[in-house]
Amino acid sequence: MKNYTKIKDISNLSETIKDAILLKMNPFEFQDLGKHKTLVMLFFNSSLRTRLSTEKAAKNLGMEVMILNVNDAWNLEFGDGTIMNMDKSEHIKEAAQVISQYADVIAVRAFPTLQDKAKDESEYVLNSFQKYATVPVINMESATAHPLQALADAITITELTEKVKPKVVLSWAPHPKALPQAVANSFVEMMQRMEVDFTITHPEGYELNEAITKDTPINYNQEEALKDADFVYVKNWSSYKDYGKVLNQDENWMMTKAKLGKAKFMHCLPVRRNVVVEDAVLDSEQSVVIQQANNRTYAALVVLKQILEKL
Ligand code: CP
């Protein structure tokens, strides 16, 4: 693997998931692979899981890790040919090349504006790093994708499924804030590559990008969609059509124990209790959110391993 910015960068998904599960059993097996190599992690936005699990994974491989909260550094300009006489002090062209001299791998977290659809869809932050950096780039959640999360989710479903082809449902949930579509997008793309019976359910108006959902069934009736589900992945996202808007906060879409049935409950975290999902679900044995978060380490571990093997 050269970079990991999107699900498509995984060439052999089943082998990658299998490798991640083996690494989970023996996390220090490749502890010298990253010796004298440095991972620089750049955060434009907050993180708990991504930051700690990716650092842990890198250290398991013997890498050094440097972390920069980009908002503490110089304000970056991304435009080409801009006259930089305003508030931006440094251009991405220099910044990415400079960081590449300190790093063997660069990981970037940069959320969307949720204001400017075209700008967000251009993935200008992530793609600029990929364009100007001279080392591999990892996506730690960009404007439209969260491929490390989706890989951890795929590992979790593979570990827990009791069926060859489990039924997986992605169910929208209410939330007071406008959230990105990134987690949902990557989960959809991941499920499309897995041996699962996959359905999406959400209120009308919350359709994700059709170029991503393709022919995945969408059911506006949550109860119908959840019938006989084995895994229910709950997530809020803001409207894609009416870009970045919170169209409704219909609490009837909150996940409850009654709606969940016998399914396992999944969420990427952080999650708002009794808004997105009721306590009774999160505090039950059907919730696998802690295992999902644990698998973030092994998703990052297998990705970093595959990148280091190509350096
Ligand atoms: N799921 C996830 O990406 O968590 P953080 O935002 O805490 O990194």
Side-chain angles (χ1 to χ4, degrees), residues 43 45-54 109 111 140-141 146 148-149 153 183 233 235 267-270 293 296:
F43 287 92
N45 306 94
S46 308
S47 169
L48 187 155
R49 280 144 289 274
T50 305
R51 181 169 174 157
L52 296 178
S53 62
T54 310
R109 165 164 282 201
F111 290 172
M140 295 196 294
E141 189 173 345
H146 197 356
L148 279 173
Q149 180 66 53
D153 301 335
V183 169
Y233 199 107
K235 183 73 185 88
H267 190 284
C268 61
L269 302 182
R296 291 295 308 273

Side-chain angles (χ1 to χ4, degrees), residues 31-57:
Q31 62 187 354
D32 294 325
L33 186 64
K35 199 174 170 192
H36 302 315
K37 299 274 192 289
T38 300
L39 170 68
V40 170
M41 297 165 73
L42 303 173
F43 287 92
F44 289 80
N45 306 94
S46 308
S47 169
L48 187 155
R49 280 144 289 274
T50 305
R51 181 169 174 157
L52 296 178
S53 62
T54 310
E55 178 168 355
K56 182 175 159 81

Side-chain angles (χ1 to χ4, degrees), residues 85-139:
N85 60 358
M86 299 295 279
D87 59 328
K88 308 284 170 59
S89 310
E90 174 152 25
H91 202 281
I92 183 65
K93 288 185 186 182
E94 285 76 49
Q97 290 180 80
V98 168
I99 296 165
S100 299
Q101 296 177 111
Y102 311 143
D104 298 280
V105 181
I106 297 174
V108 181
R109 165 164 282 201
F111 290 172
T113 62
L114 291 181
Q115 308 285 323
D116 186 334
K117 190 176 193 173
K119 195 172 171 187
D120 289 345
E121 294 211 297
S122 76
E123 289 282 14
Y124 68 99
V125 177
L126 185 72
N127 286 343
S128 297
F129 274 101
Q130 216 176 338
K131 184 171 177 185
Y132 298 116
T134 56
V135 297
V137 173
I138 294 177
N139 181 351

Side-chain angles (χ1 to χ4, degrees), residues 82-282:
T82 314
I83 298 168
M84 290 172 56
N85 60 358
M86 299 295 279
D87 59 328
K88 308 284 170 59
S89 310
E90 174 152 25
H91 202 281
I92 183 65
K93 288 185 186 182
E94 285 76 49
Q97 290 180 80
V98 168
I99 296 165
S100 299
Q101 296 177 111
Y102 311 143
D104 298 280
V105 181
I106 297 174
V108 181
R109 165 164 282 201
F111 290 172
T113 62
L114 291 181
Q115 308 285 323
D116 186 334
K117 190 176 193 173
K119 195 172 171 187
D120 289 345
E121 294 211 297
S122 76
E123 289 282 14
Y124 68 99
V125 177
L126 185 72
N127 286 343
S128 297
F129 274 101
Q130 216 176 338
K131 184 171 177 185
Y132 298 116
T134 56
V135 297
V137 173
I138 294 177
N139 181 351
M140 295 196 294
E141 189 173 345
S142 64
T144 67
H146 197 356
L148 279 173
Q149 180 66 53
L151 181 54
D153 301 335
I155 295 166
T156 309
I157 291 172
T158 304
E159 284 179 325
L160 292 171
T161 189
E162 290 166 4
K163 294 181 181 166
V164 177
K165 191 172 181 178
K167 179 173 174 182
V168 179
V169 181
L170 172 62
S171 185
W172 180 90
H175 197 283
K177 283 177 65 184
L179 297 188
Q181 296 100 26
V183 169
N185 286 342
S186 290
F187 187 70
V188 169
E189 289 184 318
M190 185 58 87
M191 290 307 105
Q192 287 167 344
R193 285 185 63 175
M194 286 184 73
E195 185 70 4
V196 294
D197 168 9
F198 182 48
T199 300
I200 305 170
T201 181
H202 56 69
E204 287 190 46
Y206 280 103
E207 291 77 11
L208 294 163
N209 184 348
E210 279 176 18
I212 291 173
T213 54
K214 295 185 180 124
D215 55 2
T216 297
I218 296 167
N219 191 337
Y220 298 120
N221 183 328
Q222 190 191 35
E223 194 186 328
E224 215 175 88
L226 292 172
K227 199 168 176 296
D228 300 326
D230 298 297
F231 294 89
V232 176
Y233 199 107
V234 176
K235 183 73 185 88
N236 168 269
W237 60 88
S238 57
S239 175
Y240 176 74
K241 271 187 188 163
D242 196 355
Y243 191 65
K245 297 284 185 303
V246 176
L247 305 179
N248 73 57
Q249 295 182 37
D250 186 351
E251 61 189 38
N252 291 320
W253 279 81
M254 180 177 80
M255 189 50 56
T256 63
K257 201 98 195 283
K259 285 195 227 172
L260 188 64
K262 292 192 163 78
K264 302 248 183 269
F265 171 80
M266 300 182 75
H267 190 284
C268 61
L269 302 182
V271 68
R272 290 188 183 230
R273 283 176 171 256
N274 305 308
V275 175
V276 170
V277 52
E278 67 176 4
D279 281 342
V281 172
L282 274 173

